[in-house]
Short mmCIF file of all heavy atoms in Angstrom, two decimals:
data_model
loop_
_atom_site.label_atom_id
_atom_site.label_comp_id
_atom_site.label_asym_id
_atom_site.label_seq_id
_atom_site.Cartn_x
_atom_site.Cartn_y
_atom_site.Cartn_z
N MET A 1 -52.31 -24.06 32.94
CA MET A 1 -50.87 -23.86 33.26
C MET A 1 -50.74 -23.33 34.69
O MET A 1 -51.55 -22.54 35.19
CB MET A 1 -50.26 -22.83 32.32
CG MET A 1 -50.21 -23.35 30.94
SD MET A 1 -49.42 -22.22 29.70
CE MET A 1 -49.43 -20.68 30.40
N GLY A 2 -49.83 -23.85 35.41
CA GLY A 2 -49.59 -23.53 36.81
C GLY A 2 -49.06 -22.17 36.99
O GLY A 2 -48.34 -21.68 36.24
N GLU A 3 -49.45 -21.50 38.05
CA GLU A 3 -49.04 -20.21 38.38
C GLU A 3 -47.58 -20.20 38.86
O GLU A 3 -46.98 -19.15 39.01
CB GLU A 3 -49.87 -19.51 39.45
CG GLU A 3 -51.32 -19.32 38.98
CD GLU A 3 -51.48 -18.35 37.77
OE1 GLU A 3 -50.66 -17.29 37.81
OE2 GLU A 3 -52.14 -18.67 36.83
N ARG A 5 -45.03 -21.16 37.31
CA ARG A 5 -44.07 -21.10 36.18
C ARG A 5 -43.35 -19.69 36.17
O ARG A 5 -43.97 -18.71 36.53
CB ARG A 5 -44.85 -21.30 34.88
CG ARG A 5 -45.59 -22.53 34.79
CD ARG A 5 -44.63 -23.68 34.34
NE ARG A 5 -45.43 -24.88 34.20
CZ ARG A 5 -44.75 -26.05 34.14
NH1 ARG A 5 -43.57 -26.17 34.11
NH2 ARG A 5 -45.52 -27.13 34.03
N THR A 6 -42.17 -19.78 35.78
CA THR A 6 -41.46 -18.57 35.59
C THR A 6 -41.50 -18.08 34.19
O THR A 6 -41.79 -18.96 33.24
CB THR A 6 -39.92 -18.70 35.97
OG1 THR A 6 -39.36 -19.66 35.11
CG2 THR A 6 -39.75 -19.15 37.45
N PRO A 7 -41.27 -16.86 33.81
CA PRO A 7 -41.32 -16.45 32.51
C PRO A 7 -40.46 -17.22 31.46
O PRO A 7 -40.82 -17.33 30.34
CB PRO A 7 -40.95 -14.96 32.50
CG PRO A 7 -41.15 -14.51 33.90
CD PRO A 7 -40.99 -15.76 34.74
N GLU A 8 -39.33 -17.76 31.88
CA GLU A 8 -38.44 -18.54 31.01
C GLU A 8 -39.03 -19.85 30.66
O GLU A 8 -38.67 -20.41 29.67
CB GLU A 8 -37.12 -18.84 31.77
CG GLU A 8 -36.37 -17.55 32.22
CD GLU A 8 -36.80 -17.10 33.55
OE1 GLU A 8 -36.80 -17.74 34.59
OE2 GLU A 8 -37.13 -15.84 33.57
N ASP A 9 -40.06 -20.30 31.38
CA ASP A 9 -40.71 -21.59 31.11
C ASP A 9 -41.85 -21.48 30.13
O ASP A 9 -42.48 -22.43 29.68
CB ASP A 9 -41.35 -22.26 32.35
CG ASP A 9 -40.27 -22.59 33.42
OD1 ASP A 9 -39.26 -23.05 33.03
OD2 ASP A 9 -40.57 -22.45 34.64
N ILE A 10 -42.21 -20.31 29.76
CA ILE A 10 -43.33 -20.04 28.90
C ILE A 10 -42.88 -19.71 27.43
O ILE A 10 -42.04 -18.85 27.22
CB ILE A 10 -44.15 -18.75 29.41
CG1 ILE A 10 -44.57 -19.04 30.85
CG2 ILE A 10 -45.35 -18.54 28.54
CD1 ILE A 10 -45.42 -20.23 31.09
N THR A 11 -43.42 -20.36 26.50
CA THR A 11 -43.31 -20.11 25.03
C THR A 11 -44.50 -19.40 24.53
O THR A 11 -45.56 -19.93 24.89
CB THR A 11 -42.99 -21.46 24.35
OG1 THR A 11 -41.80 -22.08 24.91
CG2 THR A 11 -42.82 -21.23 22.82
N ARG A 12 -44.39 -18.53 23.70
CA ARG A 12 -45.48 -17.76 23.17
C ARG A 12 -45.43 -17.68 21.62
O ARG A 12 -44.37 -17.81 21.01
CB ARG A 12 -45.36 -16.26 23.73
CG ARG A 12 -45.66 -16.28 25.16
CD ARG A 12 -45.61 -14.78 25.70
NE ARG A 12 -45.94 -14.77 27.15
CZ ARG A 12 -45.13 -14.98 28.06
NH1 ARG A 12 -43.80 -15.25 27.81
NH2 ARG A 12 -45.52 -14.95 29.39
N GLY A 13 -46.67 -17.42 21.08
CA GLY A 13 -46.78 -17.18 19.63
C GLY A 13 -48.01 -16.45 19.32
O GLY A 13 -48.82 -16.14 20.17
N ARG A 14 -48.08 -16.03 18.07
CA ARG A 14 -49.21 -15.17 17.54
C ARG A 14 -49.43 -15.35 16.10
O ARG A 14 -48.48 -15.74 15.29
CB ARG A 14 -48.99 -13.74 18.00
CG ARG A 14 -47.81 -13.16 17.30
CD ARG A 14 -47.70 -11.58 17.54
NE ARG A 14 -46.57 -11.08 16.91
CZ ARG A 14 -46.52 -10.62 15.63
NH1 ARG A 14 -47.59 -10.76 14.85
NH2 ARG A 14 -45.50 -10.10 15.06
N CYS A 15 -50.52 -14.83 15.63
CA CYS A 15 -50.88 -14.73 14.19
C CYS A 15 -50.22 -13.51 13.65
O CYS A 15 -49.62 -12.70 14.35
CB CYS A 15 -52.38 -14.77 13.95
SG CYS A 15 -53.18 -13.32 14.67
N GLY A 18 -51.77 -10.39 15.17
CA GLY A 18 -51.60 -10.39 16.64
C GLY A 18 -52.88 -10.62 17.40
O GLY A 18 -52.77 -10.59 18.65
N VAL A 20 -54.84 -13.41 17.57
CA VAL A 20 -54.82 -14.78 18.15
C VAL A 20 -53.38 -15.03 18.68
O VAL A 20 -52.42 -14.85 17.94
CB VAL A 20 -55.22 -15.88 17.09
CG1 VAL A 20 -55.06 -17.26 17.78
CG2 VAL A 20 -56.59 -15.70 16.59
N ARG A 21 -53.33 -15.31 19.98
CA ARG A 21 -52.08 -15.56 20.64
C ARG A 21 -52.18 -16.75 21.52
O ARG A 21 -53.23 -17.18 21.94
CB ARG A 21 -51.65 -14.40 21.54
CG ARG A 21 -51.43 -13.12 20.79
CD ARG A 21 -51.20 -11.89 21.79
NE ARG A 21 -50.87 -10.76 21.01
CZ ARG A 21 -49.76 -10.36 20.59
NH1 ARG A 21 -48.66 -11.14 20.92
NH2 ARG A 21 -49.47 -9.29 19.88
N PHE A 22 -51.05 -17.49 21.68
CA PHE A 22 -51.00 -18.62 22.48
C PHE A 22 -49.77 -18.63 23.40
O PHE A 22 -48.89 -17.80 23.07
CB PHE A 22 -51.07 -19.98 21.71
CG PHE A 22 -49.92 -20.13 20.81
CD1 PHE A 22 -48.68 -20.66 21.27
CD2 PHE A 22 -49.97 -19.85 19.47
CE1 PHE A 22 -47.62 -20.87 20.43
CE2 PHE A 22 -48.91 -20.06 18.66
CZ PHE A 22 -47.70 -20.58 19.12
N GLU A 23 -49.80 -19.40 24.48
CA GLU A 23 -48.60 -19.71 25.20
C GLU A 23 -48.66 -21.06 25.76
O GLU A 23 -49.82 -21.59 25.99
CB GLU A 23 -48.40 -18.59 26.34
CG GLU A 23 -49.44 -18.63 27.47
CD GLU A 23 -49.26 -17.58 28.42
OE1 GLU A 23 -48.61 -16.50 28.16
OE2 GLU A 23 -49.59 -17.89 29.64
N TYR A 24 -47.49 -21.67 26.08
CA TYR A 24 -47.50 -22.93 26.77
C TYR A 24 -46.27 -23.03 27.70
O TYR A 24 -45.36 -22.25 27.48
CB TYR A 24 -47.44 -24.16 25.67
CG TYR A 24 -46.36 -24.18 24.75
CD1 TYR A 24 -45.22 -24.83 25.08
CD2 TYR A 24 -46.54 -23.66 23.45
CE1 TYR A 24 -44.24 -24.93 24.07
CE2 TYR A 24 -45.53 -23.77 22.49
CZ TYR A 24 -44.38 -24.35 22.83
OH TYR A 24 -43.36 -24.54 21.89
N ALA A 25 -46.40 -23.89 28.68
CA ALA A 25 -45.42 -24.04 29.69
C ALA A 25 -44.56 -25.25 29.38
O ALA A 25 -45.00 -26.28 28.87
CB ALA A 25 -46.08 -24.29 31.10
N GLY A 26 -43.19 -25.08 29.59
CA GLY A 26 -42.26 -26.19 29.46
C GLY A 26 -41.96 -26.52 27.90
O GLY A 26 -42.33 -25.70 27.05
N ARG A 27 -41.34 -27.62 27.75
CA ARG A 27 -40.95 -28.00 26.45
C ARG A 27 -42.05 -28.72 25.70
O ARG A 27 -42.88 -29.39 26.20
CB ARG A 27 -39.77 -28.94 26.54
CG ARG A 27 -38.56 -28.35 27.26
CD ARG A 27 -37.42 -29.39 27.46
NE ARG A 27 -36.89 -29.81 26.14
CZ ARG A 27 -35.95 -29.32 25.57
NH1 ARG A 27 -35.29 -28.23 26.04
NH2 ARG A 27 -35.49 -29.76 24.41
N PRO A 28 -42.07 -28.63 24.37
CA PRO A 28 -43.11 -29.37 23.59
C PRO A 28 -42.77 -30.82 23.65
O PRO A 28 -41.71 -31.28 23.92
CB PRO A 28 -42.94 -28.82 22.20
CG PRO A 28 -41.54 -28.29 22.12
CD PRO A 28 -41.24 -27.77 23.56
N VAL A 51 -45.69 -28.32 16.24
CA VAL A 51 -45.20 -28.49 17.60
C VAL A 51 -46.30 -29.10 18.44
O VAL A 51 -47.32 -28.53 18.68
CB VAL A 51 -44.75 -27.11 18.16
CG1 VAL A 51 -44.25 -27.21 19.62
CG2 VAL A 51 -43.70 -26.39 17.26
N VAL A 53 -48.05 -30.14 21.75
CA VAL A 53 -48.13 -29.63 23.15
C VAL A 53 -49.30 -30.38 23.79
O VAL A 53 -50.48 -30.29 23.29
CB VAL A 53 -48.28 -28.12 23.24
CG1 VAL A 53 -48.39 -27.64 24.68
CG2 VAL A 53 -47.11 -27.36 22.55
N ARG A 57 -51.27 -27.67 29.21
CA ARG A 57 -50.08 -26.90 29.31
C ARG A 57 -50.07 -25.64 28.38
O ARG A 57 -49.11 -24.98 28.38
CB ARG A 57 -48.89 -27.85 29.02
CG ARG A 57 -48.62 -28.88 30.00
CD ARG A 57 -47.28 -29.70 29.79
NE ARG A 57 -46.26 -28.87 29.29
CZ ARG A 57 -45.52 -29.26 28.25
NH1 ARG A 57 -45.72 -30.35 27.55
NH2 ARG A 57 -44.50 -28.47 27.77
N TRP A 58 -51.12 -25.54 27.65
CA TRP A 58 -51.17 -24.44 26.65
C TRP A 58 -52.54 -23.71 26.91
O TRP A 58 -53.45 -24.27 27.44
CB TRP A 58 -51.00 -24.88 25.22
CG TRP A 58 -52.26 -25.70 24.76
CD1 TRP A 58 -52.40 -27.01 24.87
CD2 TRP A 58 -53.39 -25.19 24.15
NE1 TRP A 58 -53.62 -27.41 24.37
CE2 TRP A 58 -54.28 -26.35 23.89
CE3 TRP A 58 -53.80 -23.88 23.68
CZ2 TRP A 58 -55.48 -26.20 23.26
CZ3 TRP A 58 -55.06 -23.79 23.06
CH2 TRP A 58 -55.82 -24.89 22.90
N ARG A 59 -52.58 -22.48 26.32
CA ARG A 59 -53.85 -21.72 26.35
C ARG A 59 -53.80 -20.60 25.32
O ARG A 59 -52.69 -20.16 24.85
CB ARG A 59 -54.14 -21.17 27.72
CG ARG A 59 -53.17 -20.03 28.12
CD ARG A 59 -53.50 -19.49 29.56
NE ARG A 59 -52.57 -18.55 29.94
CZ ARG A 59 -52.80 -17.35 30.45
NH1 ARG A 59 -54.12 -17.02 30.59
NH2 ARG A 59 -51.93 -16.47 30.72
N TRP A 60 -54.95 -20.19 24.88
CA TRP A 60 -55.09 -19.01 23.95
C TRP A 60 -54.98 -17.78 24.95
O TRP A 60 -55.68 -17.71 25.92
CB TRP A 60 -56.43 -18.95 23.24
CG TRP A 60 -56.55 -20.26 22.33
CD1 TRP A 60 -57.47 -21.16 22.45
CD2 TRP A 60 -55.75 -20.59 21.24
NE1 TRP A 60 -57.31 -22.11 21.39
CE2 TRP A 60 -56.23 -21.74 20.67
CE3 TRP A 60 -54.68 -19.97 20.63
CZ2 TRP A 60 -55.67 -22.38 19.52
CZ3 TRP A 60 -54.14 -20.56 19.49
CH2 TRP A 60 -54.62 -21.78 19.01
N THR A 61 -54.21 -16.81 24.54
CA THR A 61 -54.12 -15.59 25.37
C THR A 61 -54.66 -14.36 24.64
O THR A 61 -54.74 -13.30 25.38
CB THR A 61 -52.57 -15.34 25.75
OG1 THR A 61 -51.78 -15.24 24.55
CG2 THR A 61 -52.11 -16.48 26.60
N GLY A 62 -55.03 -14.50 23.47
CA GLY A 62 -55.65 -13.42 22.68
C GLY A 62 -57.06 -13.98 22.27
O GLY A 62 -57.71 -14.66 23.06
N MET A 86 -53.09 -21.47 12.85
CA MET A 86 -52.57 -21.45 14.20
C MET A 86 -52.29 -22.86 14.80
O MET A 86 -51.41 -23.01 15.52
CB MET A 86 -53.44 -20.69 15.13
CG MET A 86 -53.62 -19.16 14.71
SD MET A 86 -52.07 -18.29 14.79
CE MET A 86 -51.64 -18.34 16.54
N LEU A 99 -49.45 -26.95 17.33
CA LEU A 99 -49.28 -25.56 16.99
C LEU A 99 -48.23 -25.41 15.83
O LEU A 99 -47.39 -26.24 15.70
CB LEU A 99 -48.74 -24.79 18.19
CG LEU A 99 -49.70 -24.86 19.48
CD1 LEU A 99 -48.97 -24.36 20.66
CD2 LEU A 99 -50.93 -23.98 19.17
N TYR A 100 -48.55 -24.47 14.98
CA TYR A 100 -47.55 -24.23 13.86
C TYR A 100 -46.31 -23.59 14.39
O TYR A 100 -46.31 -22.61 15.18
CB TYR A 100 -48.15 -23.29 12.85
CG TYR A 100 -49.28 -24.06 12.06
CD1 TYR A 100 -50.55 -24.08 12.40
CD2 TYR A 100 -48.86 -24.73 10.91
CE1 TYR A 100 -51.52 -24.73 11.75
CE2 TYR A 100 -49.82 -25.52 10.13
CZ TYR A 100 -51.14 -25.50 10.59
OH TYR A 100 -52.13 -26.22 9.95
N ALA A 101 -45.12 -24.16 14.01
CA ALA A 101 -43.86 -23.57 14.43
C ALA A 101 -43.68 -22.18 14.05
O ALA A 101 -43.10 -21.28 14.76
CB ALA A 101 -42.70 -24.55 13.89
N ALA A 102 -44.06 -21.81 12.87
CA ALA A 102 -43.85 -20.49 12.31
C ALA A 102 -44.61 -19.43 13.03
O ALA A 102 -44.33 -18.29 12.95
CB ALA A 102 -44.21 -20.45 10.75
N ALA A 103 -45.61 -19.81 13.84
CA ALA A 103 -46.44 -18.87 14.57
C ALA A 103 -45.76 -18.56 15.94
O ALA A 103 -46.18 -17.63 16.68
CB ALA A 103 -47.90 -19.34 14.79
N HIS A 104 -44.73 -19.34 16.27
CA HIS A 104 -43.94 -19.09 17.57
C HIS A 104 -43.13 -17.74 17.46
O HIS A 104 -42.70 -17.39 16.49
CB HIS A 104 -43.05 -20.16 17.80
CG HIS A 104 -43.76 -21.43 18.33
ND1 HIS A 104 -44.55 -22.15 17.62
CD2 HIS A 104 -43.58 -22.04 19.56
CE1 HIS A 104 -45.03 -23.21 18.33
NE2 HIS A 104 -44.42 -23.22 19.57
N GLU A 105 -43.04 -17.17 18.66
CA GLU A 105 -42.20 -15.88 18.75
C GLU A 105 -40.77 -16.18 18.34
O GLU A 105 -40.05 -15.37 17.70
CB GLU A 105 -42.27 -15.28 20.08
CG GLU A 105 -43.57 -14.50 20.39
CD GLU A 105 -43.60 -13.81 21.70
OE1 GLU A 105 -42.66 -14.02 22.50
OE2 GLU A 105 -44.66 -13.24 21.99
N ASP A 106 -40.28 -17.36 18.72
CA ASP A 106 -38.90 -17.69 18.38
C ASP A 106 -38.79 -19.12 17.78
O ASP A 106 -38.45 -20.01 18.40
CB ASP A 106 -38.05 -17.67 19.67
CG ASP A 106 -36.62 -17.91 19.40
OD1 ASP A 106 -36.17 -17.89 18.21
OD2 ASP A 106 -35.83 -18.12 20.33
N PRO A 107 -39.21 -19.27 16.49
CA PRO A 107 -39.18 -20.59 15.87
C PRO A 107 -37.79 -21.20 15.81
O PRO A 107 -37.69 -22.38 15.74
CB PRO A 107 -39.77 -20.36 14.51
CG PRO A 107 -39.85 -18.91 14.30
CD PRO A 107 -39.74 -18.20 15.56
N ASP A 108 -36.78 -20.32 15.80
CA ASP A 108 -35.41 -20.86 15.78
C ASP A 108 -35.06 -21.65 16.99
O ASP A 108 -34.20 -22.45 17.04
CB ASP A 108 -34.41 -19.73 15.63
CG ASP A 108 -34.22 -19.32 14.18
OD1 ASP A 108 -34.36 -20.16 13.26
OD2 ASP A 108 -33.90 -18.11 14.00
N ALA A 109 -35.81 -21.47 18.09
CA ALA A 109 -35.58 -22.21 19.31
C ALA A 109 -36.08 -23.63 19.22
O ALA A 109 -35.77 -24.39 20.12
CB ALA A 109 -36.17 -21.48 20.54
N LEU A 110 -36.84 -24.02 18.24
CA LEU A 110 -37.43 -25.30 18.08
C LEU A 110 -36.46 -26.14 17.19
O LEU A 110 -35.82 -25.65 16.31
CB LEU A 110 -38.76 -25.20 17.35
CG LEU A 110 -39.82 -24.32 18.09
CD1 LEU A 110 -40.96 -24.05 17.14
CD2 LEU A 110 -40.29 -25.00 19.39
#
Side-chain angles (χ1 to χ4, degrees):
M1 294 186 337
E3 294 299 318
R5 301 278 182 195
T6 63
E8 301 84 55
D9 295 323
I10 305 299
T11 300
R12 292 180 177 83
R14 65 175 180 83
C15 65
V20 176
R21 295 175 177 272
F22 63 81
E23 66 180 30
Y24 60 88
R27 300 176 62 91
V51 178
V53 179
R57 291 188 36 229
W58 69 273
R59 68 183 179 128
W60 300 115
T61 58
M86 296 301 296
L99 299 165
Y100 287 92
H104 283 65
E105 285 183 357
D106 185 10
D108 278 331
L110 302 167

